[in-house]
Every structure is written in structure tokens, then in C-alpha cells.
Amino acid sequence: MGSKCKMKGVANLLQTFIDNKSLLLGKVLHAHILRNNLLTNTFLCNRLIELYSKCNDSSSADRTFNYTPHKDIYSWNAILSSHCKAGNLNFAHKVFEQMPERNVVSWNNLISLMVKNGYQEKALDVYKLMVSEGFLPTHVTFASVLSACGSVLDLQLGKRCHGLVIKIGLDKNIFVCNGLLSVYAKCGVIRDAVQIFSDIDEPNEVTFTSMMGGLGSIDGVFEALEMFRMMCRKGVRIDSVSLSAVLTVCAKGGEYGESGCSADSDRLSCNVVLGEQVHGLAIKLGFENDLYFSNSLLDMYAKNGIMNSAEIVFHNLGKVSVVSWNIMIAGYGQKGNGGKAIECFERIQCCGFEPGEVTYINMLAACVKCGDVETARQMFDNMSCPSVISWNAMISGYSQNEDHIEAIDFFREMQFQSVKPDRTTVTVILGSCAGMDFLEGGKQVHAALQKAALHTDNYVASGLIGMYSKCGKTEIAGHIFSSLPMLDIVCWNSMIAGLTLNSLNNEAFMLFKQIQCGRMSPTEFSYATVLNCCTKLSSLFQGRQIHSQIVKDGYESDVFVGTALVDMYCKCGDIDEARKHFDMMPVRNVVTWNEMIHGYAQNGRGDEAVCLYEDMIASGVKPDCITFISVLTACSHSGLVDQGFRIFNSMRSEHGVDPELDHYTCIIDCLGRAGHFHDVELLMEQIPYKDDPVVWEVVLSCCRVHGNVSLAQRAAEELFWLDPESSTPYVLLANIYSSLGRWDDVRAIRELMSDKQIVKDPGYSWTEQKEQDTSLFVG
């Protein structure tokens, strides 16, 4: 009896040391157990292994396990748990394989360890083996397995787990429900996630955080924020993770629906305001020094482009991590501020941090964004073992800067280094091949893709369709399109754009109709492309039909679709309808303004074009070189010389836009049409484009209108020398002579054309055909 009491006292004392993680006292007690020959008691041995495991002394746990004379399943689970806690996956797996018998705890320990170490696929394989051997999962099992399903987006296994959960009666367990909700949310099946959420009697902070993350992933920003408000109303504990989830939603943006922030500019404003409110709440709750939350706050400000606020948060951080620096670098990169990004990169090293792969990728993206590919290359060369993402960043940088030869050379070097390209790599390279009309290179990439069985990947196939289309091989593009087993909307859009690019507008329009006949819904890009077809076909009737469909599908407020509509109505001659739609657009970018101004110019309504230009300036939109071409063209066509000259002179001084060839030709045309030839000759002495034939053609054309023979002869002589094969100067000069009745000079010009074998270019006109029901492609 005394021995049993003594044993119980030792066991109770040992439990106290385990609870308090008292390693030193535990070792003293271990010595006492040894002296009193109590190690023959398996229960005490198991508790000692647990003590060492809790105190992170895995070597002592191993020794105790090895000296345990009578190991039972609890001994094996204790040492397995010890290795799992220490993160020793190889040792844990070896212990698991050696176990004479296993129970659910054994399986749970191994699955949990694999998930924590990022081996989700292997963890799911172990789970499947566990079930096949007849073990019944517990709520602990499902917590790990569902986490793995969400990470690898394995919706099918998640659904099977859901069925088993209901079968064994765990569908009310909060941990399991949270796991299921997370799987459905991460896989984008929000309807099922909402159903699970509504069935939970007492949702906790994890439940709400998972729902907010899922809603944010599908741009349900308003709904995610409503979820946060509900969390607050229900009195659920708000932690740094839930606050970070809200900030992630604010960083992502999206449509706000009932919040009223549907436009891009309003959306940005809402993102920042809501993020600032969360910032204030975090300070109130005392989370401002939480590093996880602070990094989320940094990310929200950086992704919304509010770098001043991001800098304040960063400088107030009590503790800075590499993640914090990475966010700042990415933020500066997004704003195109490469200098600040480089400064951050240098400060990381000065502060004793080691830049990681993400740091370098962010730096590469920042340098590429601001066009500094050379610095990006230096960064890349300093990387010891760049991943495929880094290679892609460099190849994309060269491609975006239209240095396609360097991009292709870099792609070859990537292969020499045995780095396997992914779908992003080959799509960018196909774009470079198309950019330099390198059809043979594109074919080689195509052959390599067929060998690797990647050519049926829709993302890659879309790149192939684009490459062949841009190289003028629409038949091959059509064959790739037709042979794809499953077509997504990106492939349809690529094929339609390819046909439009090659002036096969009727075929592109018919292909668009096939999308409407199928189950797929057109996107903004689909509508913008098909509107371009209507514009090129000068088909106002079809353009109006497409407009009706756009309104029905809710894309009328999209800035790109809206701009395409304005362009279509302008170029099809319905300028009033174009202006009506322009005024209704909630958001306009500089391209939208340019299209409307250009529409007025092309339709001879120069006063309205100038007024609209002035409205654009007053609204704060910065004009670009295209803006000035449009408004100067309007002034030229409508004889608005003073306004044209004023706008031309304001380009550099007020707006920082240097005049280019097109701007000089516009203002010369404006002056020449009005008969201000003295000003034309003065301007011709100053411009840096005297050797460009286009300028002299404009001068010659203006001379024809006003019968200015002397300047016309000078312009013609310049053109004879600059562009000897062109018939334009001969025809224009002959027209001037004929209008003045100088028939001998007309005859001399025609004889000169005959002697030099110059042939006049034929004219042509447009006619609109009725709709046809034929198509080259079958979807």
C-alpha cells in the first residue's frame, strides 16, 4: 500500500512539472525514479517522455524511450508526439513505421506534422491509408485533413470528408465545421460555405475569419465586411487574425454592391477608408504592436497605393520582419518608384536581414515596372538559385520593354540551367515571338509544348493562338482552337482578337455569336473586342445590338467596355449617342476622353472637341500625346487656328508632353488649312522632323487647297528626294496645276511619273453587308 502511495505521489509531482514545463525539477525527479528503481513502471516512463517533449528536450525523450523496458502504445505515441512537436518529420515517420501497433492518435500525430511542415499532399495520402485500414477519424483528424484540402484546393476529398463527418456525427463540432467551411471558401464554393456557416450554432472567430477570406477571394467585399460587422454585433472575440482578414479584403478591393462604391475611383477610396477604420479599431483593442496585424496593415496601404500611410506604419513598427520589408518593396514597385524599392533593399541588408526569394522577386518586379531592366538583371545575377518565378519576372521584363531578342535568349539560358519552364514562361515567350514576328521560334516552342503535353492547357493554348494570329497564321490558330478538348472564355477571346487583328471581322463577329449560343458568358474583353469588329465593319446596327447585350449583362459601367462603345459610336458616325454614353459612364480614363475628343474631331465638331478637352483638364485627368493629336486634329478640321496654336504651345509648358511628329503635322495642317503659310514656313524651320515625308505631304496638301504654287513646288521637291517611290507629291502637285489651268505643267508632271514608273494608288470605299450565318470555326 505504501509503495502504491509513493508511486502516486511521484506521478502527481511529475504531472505538476509537466504542466509547468519545469525541466530542471523534472530531471531531479527522474534521478529519484532511477535511484528507487521505478523505471520499470511504464506509466512513469511515458510521463517522463511527455515531460521532455513539452520542454523541447527531444534527446532526453529519446533516451527515456529507449530505456523503457515495457513499451506500450502510449510509449510509442509519446515518442512520436515528441518528434512531431520538434518538427523532426523523418524521425517521426521512422517511429511511425516501427510501431508494433497504432491507434488514431498515432495517425493524427503524423498527419498533423506533415500538414504543419507543408507536406499537404503526403498528409492526405496518409489519411486515405488510415481510413482504408479501418481507423475512424476524429475531430482532430479532420481539423488537419481539411486544412490540407483547403491548401491544395482538393474540393473532391473535402466533400468526401464532409460526407464522413455527417455519417459519424461530427457535423456539429466547431473545429470540424470551421475546417469544412474553410475548404469550401478557399475552393470558391461560397454557397456551400454559407450553408455550413448558417448551420453553426455558435460561430467563433475562426468561423468568421474563414468566411471573410472566402468572400474576399471572389470579390464579395461588401459581404465580407458585413460578416465582420455581424462578428462585432454577436460579441465574438476579435483577434489580430480576424482584423488581418478584413484588411486583406480591403487590399483586394472588388465590387461593393450596396455600399455604393462601384466605380474604380470610389472603390479605392472605400478600400482606404475601411482600412483606416480597422486601423483605428486595432489601436483601440491594443493590436497595433502585433507584427502579423501590422504586416497586414502595411499590405493594405501598399496595395491601395497609399505609401505615405504605409511608411508611417512601417516606421512605428516595434519589430520589423523580412515580410515587412518585402511589402514595402512591393508597394514601391507597384507605384513605379524603383529608387525607393532599391533603398529598402539596401536597408534590409544593413539591418542584418537576409533577403529571401520573395524579396528578390519583389525587387525584380519593381525594377521591371519602372523600366529599369538592367538593375533587375543585376539583382537576378546576385541570386544563388533563382526559381522559375524569378526567371519569369526577368523574361516578362524584357518582353514588356519590347526587348524580345533578350527575352528569347534568357529563355534559352533558363533551359541550359535545367530550370523547367511553367505555363507563364511559355506564354510570355510566345508573346515575344509574336512581338518580333518570329514565327519559327514560336513553332519551336509549340513543338516543345506538344512534347511536354502542355499544348492542351487552355492558358498555354491561348498564348499559342495569340502568337499564330499575330504572325498572320489564323488557320493554324483556328486549328489549335478547334482541337482543344475544353474551351474556356480566355481561348474564345484570344481567337476572336486574332481574327480581328487579321481583319477577319465578319468571322470574329460570328465566333462571338457562338459564345452567346453556348453556356459561356462573354467577359469585358469579349465585348471590347467584338465592338472593335463592329467599328472596323462600320456596322452601327450590329454595334447597337452588342450594346443592348452589354447592358443586359451589366458591363456598361466597365471602363474598357464603355470606352469601346464610345469609339464604336464615334467611328460609325453617331456622335450624339457616343456623347450620351460618355456622360453616363461612372468612370473614365484618359483613353475614354481621347476617344470622345477624337470622335468630335473626325465628325467636324471642333468647338465641342476643344470644350471637352478643357473639361478633361478641369477634371484633373492628365492628357497624353494622343489627347493632343485628337484635339489638334479637331482644331485643324474646324479652322480653330488660335485655339490650336494655344493648345500646341501649352503641351510642354503646362502638361510636360514633348511635341512629336504627329503633333507638328496637326498644327501645320491647322495653319495651312487656314492659309497661314508664313507661320507654316517659320514652324518648318524649327521642327526636328524636316526630313520626314509626312510633314511635307501635309504642307503640299494645304497648298493645294489655297493654290500656293511656290511652297507647293518646294514641298514636292522635298518629297521627290525623301520618298521617290510615292505617287502622292506628283498627284497633289498635278491637282494644284490643274485647278489653276496650268495644263502644260500637269502634262509635265504626268510624263515625269511615266518616266519614273510611278503608279497612282487606287481608291476604295466601304459598304456594309447584311449579316451572314456562316463561320470558319465550330466551338
Side-chain angles (χ1 to χ4, degrees), residues 69-177:
H70 306 292
K71 301 179 182 72
D72 58 14
I73 191 168
Y74 299 102
S75 313
W76 285 96
N77 279 336
I79 195 61
L80 176 62
S81 177
S82 173
H83 286 301
C84 288
K85 189 175 186 300
N88 300 325
L89 182 59
N90 290 332
F91 287 110
H93 196 270
K94 191 178 293 184
V95 168
F96 184 82
E97 291 294 330
Q98 293 172 352
M99 291 179 75
E101 62 172 315
R102 306 181 186 114
N103 60 12
V104 175
V105 176
S106 319
W107 292 94
N108 287 349
N109 276 330
L110 187 61
I111 292 170
S112 176
L113 177 62
M114 287 179 165
V115 171
K116 287 176 182 175
N117 280 270
Y119 296 100
Q120 281 85 5
E121 296 281 5
K122 290 184 178 180
L124 295 179
D125 289 339
V126 172
Y127 166 74
K128 291 171 188 174
L129 183 62
M130 170 188 174
V131 174
S132 69
E133 291 191 9
F135 289 93
L136 198 64
T138 66
H139 69 282
V140 177
T141 320
F142 284 122
S144 297
V145 170
L146 291 169
S147 173
C149 289
S151 297
V152 299
L153 304 180
D154 191 339
L155 180 60
Q156 293 306 313
L157 182 57
K159 285 183 174 181
R160 291 204 299 272
C161 287
H162 193 176
L164 187 55
V165 162
I166 295 171
K167 184 178 179 181
I168 61 180
L170 288 173
D171 50 316
K172 294 298 180 182
N173 184 280
I174 187 65
F175 300 104
V176 176
C177 288

Side-chain angles (χ1 to χ4, degrees), residues 703-727:
C703 291
R704 184 181 67 83
V705 175
H706 292 277
N708 188 331
V709 178
S710 60
L711 185 56
Q713 288 173 334
R714 180 192 167 194
E717 287 170 3
E718 292 284 352
L719 285 168
F720 294 156
W721 177 71
L722 290 171
D723 193 4
E725 301 296 323
S726 174
S727 64

Side-chain angles (χ1 to χ4, degrees), residues 345 349 354-365 375-394 410 417 419:
F345 183 78
Q349 296 164 307
E354 187 66 32
E357 173 80 2
V358 176
T359 313
Y360 278 106
I361 290 171
N362 287 346
M363 275 305 308
L364 292 176
T375 302
R377 181 59 186 268
Q378 291 172 6
M379 292 279 177
F380 181 86
D381 291 340
N382 287 331
M383 297 174 71
S384 57
C385 187
S387 68
V388 66
I389 300 174
S390 302
W391 285 91
N392 288 349
M394 282 305 307
F410 211 72
Q417 296 294 332
V419 179

Side-chain angles (χ1 to χ4, degrees), residues 14 23 37 121 125 177 342 365 488 508 524 559 606 641 656 718 746:
L14 187 53
L23 180 60
N37 199 28
E121 296 281 5
D125 289 339
C177 288
I342 292 171
D488 63 8
E524 301 95 316
V559 67
V641 181
E718 292 284 352
V746 173

Side-chain angles (χ1 to χ4, degrees), residues 591-610:
V591 180
T592 319
W593 287 91
N594 291 349
E595 293 292 358
M596 194 64 240
I597 294 169
H598 187 256
Y600 277 132
Q602 293 300 103
N603 285 271
R605 292 163 69 165
D607 287 320
E608 288 164 283
V610 172

